[in-house]
Amino acid sequence: MLHTLTIIRQLNADEFTSGEAIAKQLGVSRSAVSAALNRSADFGIELERRHGVGYKLTQPIEWLDVPSITQTLSINSPFSLNLIDEIESTNRTLRQESAAAGSVLAAEWQTAGRGRLGRPWVGSLGGSLLFSLVWRFNGGISRLAGLSLAVGIALARALEQQGYHGIGLKWPNDLLCPKGKLAGILIELSGDALGPADAVIGIGLNLRLSPSERLHANHAADLSDCSGPSPKRNLLFASILNELAELLPRFDQDGFAPLRSEWEARHIWQGEQARLISPNGLESSGKIIGIAEDGALRIAGENGLQVVYAGDISLRKVAAA
Ligand code: BTN
């Protein structure tokens, strides 16, 4: 079956491209082109169709591109970059392939993107950053409780440096702006408690959601909600990688403690009442007093101070009475 993404790559937002020209270029029939483009909405892509003329994107797409990314990447970057059009999940592939430390895999589209707590993660073609990287931590798994928080700081720093405002963090791994969730972080670990451990760090960031994605994604936001410039995907991706390249070795050496006050300064629920829900449905509540030096959440609950590690816990804010 002719892939929709392959055809969308042939289109642009400046002028119409005829179905015939695409068919000729790809060596397929015009009806195959038309059938494939009928699925463009599944990718969050809106097209202008003009009978007898062709197709045009309503929004330009800045495709990920290695030379544009490396242009901004630090000279001594520890990362080796791979881009792919479509994949099930970048996290899954890096894990399956036991990819080397420093490997980065970014996809234009994921068919089975994974979020925390077994949830799906859906991006928007040309409107998201979807990537994973492998980092080796010499201190072992037992020191990595604060890793998703540290990664959140790297993301927030990169976005602020690019001129976006109002970025907040929600424990343990969400980036938010006032309108909703902007990015999520999925970390999967392997290795020893004390010896070296490899982390696959997956990041999904919404740059521009289509109107239908906005409608369907619960509480999702994109960078247009962060009063900044119109996002440049390659530049932003490289800036995030640069921040991670600086922060991850420091985190490995010094842990989360030196980052704690910066995290708390961006913490959207600092001092708020919240409900904690564990996978078996058990709930408890209390006032969020902050983060411990190892990244655990500190809550003053009915039974005194509660210290919570990420695990499978999910957190809800209690609405003010
Ligand atoms: C969350 O639930 O908030 C975490 C979402 C993480 C999504 C990213 S997208 C790139 C990488 N590959 C995946 O399958 N998931 C992560």
Side-chain angles (χ1 to χ4, degrees):
M1 187 173 69
L2 184 56
H3 204 285
T4 304
L5 202 155
T6 314
I7 304 187
I8 293 172
R9 270 195 178 274
Q10 308 288 319
L11 304 179
N12 64 69
D14 299 329
E15 56 188 6
F16 285 89
T17 308
S18 76
E20 193 179 349
I22 300 171
K24 207 166 169 191
Q25 170 82 16
L26 299 175
V28 296
S29 68
R30 279 182 64 176
S31 60
V33 170
S34 152
L37 284 178
N38 283 340
R39 293 187 293 272
S40 59
D42 299 348
F43 294 78
I45 295 294
E46 287 176 7
L47 294 180
E48 206 179 315
R49 291 176 167 79
R50 196 167 287 172
H51 191 68
V53 180
Y55 308 87
K56 190 171 142 183
L57 299 173
T58 55
Q59 291 268 4
I61 295 180
E62 183 195 346
W63 299 99
L64 291 177
D65 160 63
V66 173
S68 310
I69 298 164
T70 37
Q71 207 178 10
T72 312
L73 224 46
S74 327
I75 293 172
N76 299 322
S77 179
F79 294 124
S80 78
L81 196 58
N82 267 299
L83 306 181
I84 192 161
D85 263 2
E86 182 173 308
I87 202 165
E88 263 185 43
S89 149
T90 53
N91 259 48
R92 188 186 157 134
T93 299
L94 288 184
R95 288 188 70 193
Q96 269 177 347
E97 292 179 352
S98 303
S103 307
V104 178
L105 178 61
E108 293 291 359
W109 184 252
Q110 293 185 130
T111 53
R114 291 153 53 182
R116 249 184 100 234
L117 309 176
R119 295 180 188 129
W121 184 268
V122 183
S124 159
L125 186 67
S128 319
L129 284 176
L130 306 167
F131 67 98
S132 305
L133 60 94
V134 183
W135 197 264
R136 170 153 290 198
F137 294 92
N138 296 312
I141 288 182
S142 59
R143 294 187 60 222
L144 299 183
L147 178 58
S148 68
L149 287 75
V151 172
I153 288 185
L155 280 175
R157 284 180 183 171
L159 291 174
E160 282 166 9
Q161 195 213 327
Q162 293 300 319
Y164 300 101
H165 301 281
I167 315 280
L169 294 169
K170 180 184 160 223
W171 186 90
N173 68 342
D174 289 351
L175 238 82
L176 290 102
C177 70
K179 281 206 176 155
K181 179 161 166 172
L182 202 58
I185 300 159
L186 177 69
I187 296 186
E188 298 181 282
L189 302 171
S190 58
D192 295 330
L194 302 173
D198 284 338
V200 173
I201 301 172
I203 294 172
L205 169 67
N206 303 329
L207 276 60
R208 189 191 64 226
L209 295 169
S210 70
S212 69
E213 285 161 336
R214 247 180 208 281
L215 208 66
H216 292 112
N218 250 346
H219 308 297
D222 67 18
L223 285 178
S224 68
D225 300 314
C226 305
S227 56
S230 167
K232 295 196 165 48
R233 286 176 88 213
N234 290 292
L235 175 68
L236 200 51
F237 185 24
S239 313
I240 294 170
L241 291 177
N242 287 344
E243 290 295 339
L244 286 166
E246 197 186 310
L247 185 138
L248 293 174
R250 288 198 184 180
F251 175 84
D252 193 19
Q253 197 177 309
D254 305 326
F256 179 70
L259 298 167
R260 181 167 77 154
S261 56
E262 180 175 349
W263 201 94
E264 284 186 340
R266 302 177 199 268
H267 186 191
I268 51 156
W269 288 359
Q270 188 80 10
E272 302 277 356
Q273 281 295 124
R275 252 180 333 127
L276 281 165
I277 306 159
S278 52
N280 57 10
L282 278 181
E283 288 195 18
S284 60
S285 63
K287 180 176 172 172
I288 299 181
I289 43 180
I291 305 295
E293 290 212 331
D294 61 357
L297 185 70
R298 298 170 73 234
I299 297 189
E302 297 127 7
N303 304 318
L305 180 68
Q306 211 184 333
V307 178
V308 183
Y309 288 88
D312 285 346
I313 290 284
S314 87
L315 200 60
R316 306 264 188 289
K317 191 166 159 183
V318 176

